[in-house]
Amino acid sequence: LRESGVATRCMARRPGSAGAKDLEEAGCEVVEGDVLKPATLGPALDGIGVAYYLVHSMGRGGEGDFEEMDRRGAENFARAASEAGVSQIVYLGGLGEGRSKHLRSRQETAEALASTGVPVTYLRAAVVLGGGSESFQTVYHLIRRLPAMVTPKWTKTRTQPIAVEDVISYLAAAGEQGEWVGREVQIAGPDVTTYGGMMDVMADAIGKRRPLMIRVPILTPRLSSLWIGLVTPVDTGVARPLVEGLSTETVITDPAGMQMFDIEPTGMDEAMEAAVAELESPGT
């Protein structure tokens, strides 16, 4: 947004953090705010035309029931946005109509954001291929460390991963006026695969032999998350909700939304190589 000349204000709970300093250096205004503290939202949203909502309470930094916190935070933000005269909220959620707490929370957040009448442009993405993604890091460390693994049924679940740079392009474009404003837009890359197939492509990108996968039907989400916590640095509190959602297909069912944007999605092989390079770069 800054590179395209858009005046950008970023809200952070801790404006003195390293990430906030990077935003300031990029030319953004950084203000203090917390969606769970309604009094902080009015000043943060004052004078804002389009508000991006990229908040999730799951995992590190969250305390208690993340589903309830997500809903409460979105309701607070929706009220403050309405009172401030915000013309549009852009929200990034996930594909899939699963029964997992994680996917359910993403949908409930979208509904809460729309509860006060501010138009919500709801971008729904499949697995995001980027070095900063917790789910991506989970798979990366499994492939890096294990030549063979016992895997549950979800490795056969279909998904349609998308490059993080493409997600950013859709987010930036969604803030402009267009026929997408106020509607749901499903976004994904051009390739449909399975989680097991995605692991194979990641192994190719890392330069390792594709792992031997022994699938068993009795590996529960709880056991899977404990296993992930044991062999990867990903927090178990993050891993379990993510794993519970992996039994749900994340494949586009309505491509009409994507077709409104002049964006050519990146192929999975290229996106995977870029994501691995990002994760392995110094300082990541």
Side-chain angles (χ1 to χ4, degrees):
L1 291 173
R2 286 300 304 129
E3 288 174 357
S4 61
V6 177
T8 307
R9 178 185 300 160
C10 300
M11 186 180 79
R13 287 179 296 167
R14 295 179 294 275
S17 66
K21 291 178 180 177
D22 290 342
L23 291 168
E24 286 184 329
E25 291 176 0
C28 301
E29 177 190 2
V30 179
V31 298
E32 183 174 356
D34 187 333
V35 295
L36 296 178
K37 298 178 180 178
T40 68
L41 299 178
L45 288 167
D46 182 40
I48 293 297
V50 177
Y52 285 82
Y53 194 84
L54 305 173
V55 180
H56 203 325
S57 303
M58 186 176 72
R60 298 183 182 91
E63 298 176 1
D65 184 346
F66 75 80
E67 190 174 14
E68 190 276 331
M69 286 194 294
D70 276 344
R71 183 169 52 250
R72 181 154 47 94
E75 290 172 348
N76 292 339
F77 193 85
R79 282 193 295 270
S82 177
E83 292 169 0
V86 170
S87 61
Q88 180 191 182
I89 296 173
V90 178
Y91 167 59
L92 177 64
L95 278 177
E97 306 299 334
R99 296 175 296 277
S100 77
K101 192 173 183 178
H102 167 54
L103 292 176
R104 185 172 64 238
S105 177
R106 298 292 77 206
Q107 180 63 30
E108 289 174 349
T109 296
E111 293 168 359
L113 289 172
S115 63
T116 60
V118 178
V120 175
T121 303
Y122 179 20
L123 300 182
R124 302 186 66 182
V127 175
V128 177
L129 300 181
S133 163
E134 293 274 15
S135 56
F136 181 84
Q137 291 180 28
T138 298
V139 178
Y140 172 86
H141 289 292
L142 289 175
I143 299 299
R144 173 64 74 184
R145 297 180 181 187
L146 300 177
M149 63 185 80
V150 176
T151 57
K153 291 188 296 183
W154 55 255
T155 53
K156 299 179 70 174
T157 303
R158 294 196 312 158
T159 186
Q160 195 170 350
I162 182 170
V164 66
E165 290 297 332
D166 291 342
V167 174
I168 293 169
S169 295
Y170 281 110
L171 283 168
E176 302 172 2
Q177 288 298 310
E179 54 185 322
W180 54 79
V181 173
R183 62 168 289 175
E184 177 184 305
V185 179
Q186 298 181 13
I187 60 174
D191 302 303
V192 177
T193 184
T194 63
Y195 286 106
M198 193 171 66
M199 289 178 176
D200 286 341
V201 174
M202 181 179 288
D204 295 342
I206 294 173
K208 289 182 64 70
R209 178 177 296 179
R210 294 185 174 188
L212 174 65
M213 298 184 194
I214 305 169
R215 295 187 177 91
V216 294
I218 58 173
L219 197 57
T220 66
R222 180 177 181 276
L223 290 175
S224 292
S225 63
L226 292 173
W227 172 61
I228 288 170
L230 181 65
V231 298
T232 80
V234 176
D235 183 79
T236 303
V238 175
R240 184 170 181 177
L242 288 175
V243 169
E244 288 175 343
L246 295 180
S247 61
T248 300
E249 285 196 350
T250 50
V251 175
I252 283 184
T253 58
D254 180 8
M258 286 183 65
Q259 294 168 0
M260 294 186 290
F261 295 84
D262 186 22
I263 296 171
E264 186 69 31
T266 307
M268 180 171 58
D269 290 356
E270 182 182 345
M272 187 71 76
E273 289 176 0
V276 167
E278 178 190 358
L279 184 58
E280 295 182 342
S281 65
T284 300

